[in-house]
Amino acid sequence: MLRKQDLAKTIRSPINAKEAKKLLDHLKKWNGKVSSQWKARANAHQETMDRGDPFGYAEVYKGLSKLEEEGTLRASDRAHLNQSLDFLAEELANALGKTPEQARNQIAKATMN
């Protein structure tokens, strides 16, 4: 249950196809770094996930994917990596009329660079 006056600040509309293409482009081009300190990294990622911004999910996913390649993921990192991938796949599948698996493939392609 949700109060009507809280609706606008609690619920956001899903992204559309145009925003989905921008999101994939952002994922492809984003070259930010994640903190080397695990606690600061976990806190920053949790704050990003709590904001509900798909572009933030993309940055968390890509940053942790790079960290995973180095073999240094902690349990909280793994949870944020999986959660961000799930959220991204759901957003993209909805916006592009794809299955979640097809969306995951597009995410994987955009992350390779």
Side-chain angles (χ1 to χ4, degrees), residues 46 49 64 73-86:
Q46 188 60 54
M49 299 303 290
L64 289 174
L73 286 188
R74 299 177 62 89
S76 59
D77 292 330
R78 173 94 30 225
H80 287 136
L81 177 69
N82 291 335
Q83 186 180 33
S84 61
L85 177 59
D86 289 345

Side-chain angles (χ1 to χ4, degrees), residues 29-100:
K29 293 179 180 176
W30 188 80
N31 285 319
K33 304 278 184 203
V34 297
S35 175
S36 60
Q37 301 216 341
W38 73 269
K39 195 167 189 174
R41 181 174 63 238
N43 288 337
H45 287 158
Q46 188 60 54
E47 286 177 24
T48 300
M49 299 303 290
D50 289 346
R51 276 195 305 269
D53 175 27
F55 289 84
Y57 303 153
E59 292 172 6
V60 169
Y61 178 75
K62 189 163 184 183
L64 289 174
S65 293
K66 288 180 180 181
L67 200 58
E68 182 180 43
E69 290 172 6
E70 299 168 14
T72 56
L73 286 188
R74 299 177 62 89
S76 59
D77 292 330
R78 173 94 30 225
H80 287 136
L81 177 69
N82 291 335
Q83 186 180 33
S84 61
L85 177 59
D86 289 345
F87 288 174
L88 279 173
E90 184 178 4
E91 286 280 350
L92 292 170
N94 243 350
L96 299 173
K98 306 272 184 190
T99 67

